[in-house]
Amino acid sequence: MKIKNIIFDFDGTLADTSKLIVATMKETIKEMRLPYRSDDEIKSVIGVRLPEIPTILWHDIHGIEDSFEDTYRKNFEVFKDVIPIDLFPGIKETLQILKEQGINMSIATSRSNHSVEELTDQLGIRGYFRYLLGGDNVLQGKPNPESIYKILRDME
């Protein structure tokens, strides 16, 4: 059986974004005067869509989802130019090999579609992917399989 399609996650799979995410989250917590969360607690929500993070990290504080998302995005715009994101070792070479083998590659991520487009451009890997699907393009975020089903349906 030949593999035809591979769907990757972005954060923590293709690129090491943890330093950027932790720094952005810490600044967001500080600005919003939210209760402290450790690096490990912050890392535990990497891959969760932004509007869902407050209900996980501060389940007893309600109604902050929109302001949290807005504040995080504003801080991310500042930090993304200061804290570098790198591909994990061997990623670009692996993507090239898979492309040469005719495998269709896509990304399904919780980050916004704009963000994944921008970061894959910046890292020089966007051309390897037939389809990029951000968390803002589905109704239900991961781990719900909606993004996977959408990519497979659209790639037929």
Side-chain angles (χ1 to χ4, degrees):
M1 177 177 174
K2 183 179 179 338
I3 295 174
K4 294 182 352 183
N5 301 303
I6 297 178
I7 302 171
F8 293 94
D9 187 15
F10 184 78
D11 296 287
T13 301
L14 297 173
D16 186 359
T17 56
S18 62
K19 289 178 188 169
L20 173 58
I21 291 170
V22 169
T24 302
M25 189 78 79
K26 283 184 170 190
E27 183 63 23
T28 301
I29 291 167
K30 180 178 144 192
E31 282 184 31
M32 293 186 67
R33 296 185 173 131
L34 292 168
Y36 171 83
R37 293 299 179 254
S38 70
D39 288 8
D40 286 341
E41 288 172 303
I42 292 169
K43 288 177 184 177
S44 76
V45 293
I46 292 177
V48 175
R49 294 191 303 177
L50 282 176
E52 299 165 10
I53 290 173
T55 59
I56 296 168
L57 293 181
W58 302 280
H59 61 275
D60 55 337
I61 302 175
H62 305 285
I64 62 168
E65 294 81 11
D66 290 341
S67 59
F68 178 84
E69 183 175 1
D70 292 343
T71 305
Y72 182 94
R73 288 191 192 285
K74 174 186 66 85
N75 288 326
F76 184 83
E77 286 302 311
V78 172
F79 284 111
K80 74 177 184 180
D81 295 328
V82 179
I83 301 171
I85 293 175
D86 296 310
L87 293 173
F88 286 110
I91 290 295
K92 204 166 200 174
E93 297 81 3
T94 301
L95 294 174
Q96 181 61 40
I97 291 167
L98 294 171
K99 183 177 180 175
E100 289 169 2
Q101 292 177 359
I103 295 173
N104 295 313
M105 294 178 284
S106 301
I107 295 176
T109 180
S110 294
R111 84 175 33 257
S112 74
N113 209 70
H114 170 76
S115 181
V116 73
E117 287 175 359
E118 182 178 49
L119 293 175
T120 54
D121 276 340
Q122 177 187 340
L123 294 167
I125 61 170
R126 186 168 180 188
Y128 291 107
F129 298 98
R130 185 170 165 200
Y131 199 104
L132 302 175
L133 183 72
D136 53 342
N137 294 121
V138 292
L139 296 175
Q140 299 181 59
K142 296 183 303 179
N144 184 287
E146 179 185 354
S147 58
I148 304 304
Y149 294 148
K150 182 170 176 43
I151 288 174
L152 292 174
R153 204 173 35 249
D154 292 349
M155 287 180 52
E156 287 180 346

